[in-house]
Amino acid sequence: MASPVPPPKRTYSKEYKKDGLYRIMSLDGGGAKGFYTLGVLKEIEGMLQCPLYQCFDLIFGTSTGSIIAALLALGYEVDQIHGLYRLYVPMVMRPHNPARKSAALKRLAEKIYGDKYFSEVLTGIGVVATKWAIERPMIFKGSVEQAHGRKGTFVPGFRAKIGDAVRVSCSAYPFFERQTLMLSTGDCVELADGGYCANNPSLYALADAVGALKKPQNDIRLVSVGVGNYPDPKPGWKMRLAKKYLLSMQLLQKTMEVNAQSMDTLRQVLFKDVPTVRINDSFTQPEMATDFMEYDLKKLDLL
C-alpha cells in the first residue's frame, strides 16, 4: 500500500476557540496558479496562529483547490503544502501529452495521499468533480451531515480514496485524460475537472451549510480564495505552431475564470446575509504573465 507524505510537526501550538460561528473556506481551481492560493493561506494561517483545519468547519476545493483543501483537512500546514507544490507541480505541468500529464498527476496523488479515505479528515470537506456523461457535479464529502438526501446510504467520499477524488477533480480535459472511478454503489463513473461545474465552489459549500447542516446565514462566515488574474503569457514559437493547443488552453482558462466570477456573483445574490471575504487579486505587470499550465518555478514563486 502507498504511504502518504506525513503531516508536519506542528508549528503552531495555539488552539482555536469555538464561538458558535460556522466558518467556511472555499478554494478555486486554477492549476499551477494554486501557488497564489497558498500565499494567501499562509497569511491567514499566520494571523490565526493555528492549523487551518481547526479554524474552518468546512473546506471546499475545486481542481488545484481540492489538492489544498484535502491536505488542510488532513492536518497539513501551509508551508508543507507549498513544499509539495514546488516539488510536484512542474512534474505534472511540464509534459504536453495528456496521458503523461495524467500519469504524473496519478503518481502525485498516490505519493501525497496514499490510502487515506474521507472518513479520516479532521474537518468538513468537499471535493468538486464533474460527471462527464451526464454533465452534472459530483461532490466527494466526508460527513453524512453534509448529505442533502439519502443519508441512510451515505458513504464518505463514495468510498473513493482522497487521492483518487482529488485526481479526478484536477483532470482538466483535454489537457488531462478523463478518469473513471468505481464508487460505493458499484458503478463506474467517468469524471473530469470540477471547474466545468464550479471553478469557485463557494455556492456548493454554502448550500451544505444552509441546506444540509441548517446553519442560519447570519452565523456563517465565508472566506473564498481565487487564484488571481494575470496577463496572458506570450506564446513561444513551439506554442505558436500548435495553434489548436494554444486556443484550447486559452478557451478553457477563460471558461474557468468566467465560471468562478459568475459563481461569486450568484453567491452575492443568494447568500447576501453571509459575511464574506473574497480574495482574488488582479495583476498587470508583464512579469506576472502566466496561465494554469505554468511550470517555471521562478514564475510560480512570484505568485
Side-chain angles (χ1 to χ4, degrees):
M1 295 193 305
S3 298
V5 175
K9 294 181 179 179
R10 287 284 157 253
T11 303
Y12 304 109
S13 58
K14 180 180 177 181
E15 291 291 327
Y16 192 78
K17 294 182 179 179
K18 297 295 183 180
D19 55 9
L21 297 176
Y22 192 82
R23 290 180 168 84
I24 299 172
M25 176 176 286
S26 170
L27 305 177
D28 284 16
K33 293 185 288 186
F35 274 80
Y36 168 90
T37 307
L38 291 171
V40 173
L41 297 183
K42 179 61 179 175
E43 292 298 322
I44 295 174
E45 186 184 63
M47 287 189 292
L48 295 173
Q49 286 294 299
C50 67
L52 294 180
Y53 79 89
Q54 294 182 7
C55 312
F56 289 90
D57 302 284
L58 187 60
I59 305 176
F60 260 62
T62 296
S63 197
T64 195
S66 76
I67 299 176
I68 300 169
L71 289 170
L72 291 176
L74 287 170
Y76 287 73
E77 293 179 4
V78 176
D79 274 346
Q80 192 187 30
I81 302 175
H82 180 242
L84 294 172
Y85 261 59
R86 295 192 89 257
L87 178 63
Y88 286 107
V89 166
M91 295 181 186
V92 173
M93 294 303 184
R94 186 173 285 111
H96 290 296
N97 180 277
R100 291 178 60 197
K101 292 177 90 72
S102 295
L105 181 60
K106 183 178 180 180
R107 290 192 295 271
L108 176 154
E110 291 173 345
K111 178 63 177 178
I112 292 179
Y113 301 102
D115 292 323
K116 292 284 187 181
Y117 287 85
F118 281 85
S119 56
E120 301 175 63
V121 295
L122 302 174
T123 191
I125 188 173
V127 169
V128 181
T130 300
K131 292 182 180 179
W132 189 257
I134 62 173
E135 301 163 349
R136 293 191 177 186
M138 181 169 185
I139 306 176
F140 297 83
K141 304 178 183 181
S143 171
V144 67
E145 294 179 349
Q146 293 172 248
H148 293 262
R150 301 182 182 178
K151 291 182 181 287
T153 57
F154 178 88
V155 177
F158 303 100
R159 203 172 284 128
K161 294 179 182 178
I162 293 177
D164 287 336
V166 166
R167 176 167 56 88
V168 300
S169 180
C170 294
S171 294
Y173 180 79
F175 301 97
F176 291 80
E177 295 178 322
R178 301 192 297 272
Q179 305 294 319
T180 301
L181 285 189
M182 174 75 75
L183 305 179
S184 58
T185 59
D187 298 325
C188 284
V189 181
E190 188 180 31
L191 298 162
D193 197 290
Y196 285 108
C197 289
N199 203 50
N200 170 355
S202 57
L203 275 183
Y204 291 172
L206 286 166
D208 275 14
V210 175
L213 296 163
K214 308 301 181 185
K215 301 294 182 182
Q217 291 195 29
N218 289 333
D219 290 343
I220 299 171
R221 301 292 184 269
L222 171 66
V223 175
S224 176
V225 184
V227 294
N229 297 299
Y230 309 88
D232 291 330
K234 293 181 179 180
W237 66 269
K238 289 183 179 180
M239 192 65 74
R240 287 195 297 270
L241 289 176
K243 290 183 180 179
K244 185 177 179 181
Y245 180 94
L246 177 61
L247 289 174
S248 296
M249 182 170 63
Q250 291 173 339
L251 177 59
L252 179 59
Q253 180 161 281
K254 179 62 70 174
T255 299
M256 300 302 187
E257 289 171 353
V258 171
N259 180 295
Q261 297 301 335
S262 64
M263 284 287 183
D264 194 57
T265 300
L266 277 174
R267 188 268 310 162
Q268 294 175 51
V269 173
L270 299 176
F271 295 97
K272 59 184 177 181
D273 293 330
V274 175
T276 298
V277 175
R278 170 73 174 166
I279 306 171
N280 192 44
D281 294 300
S282 294
F283 302 92
T284 59
Q285 303 94 320
E287 63 269 20
M288 297 297 286
T290 192
D291 57 40
F292 69 99
M293 293 292 184
E294 184 66 70
Y295 56 82
D296 182 349
L297 274 178
K298 291 182 179 178
K299 178 64 63 66
L300 293 172
D301 282 339
L302 283 176
L303 306 190

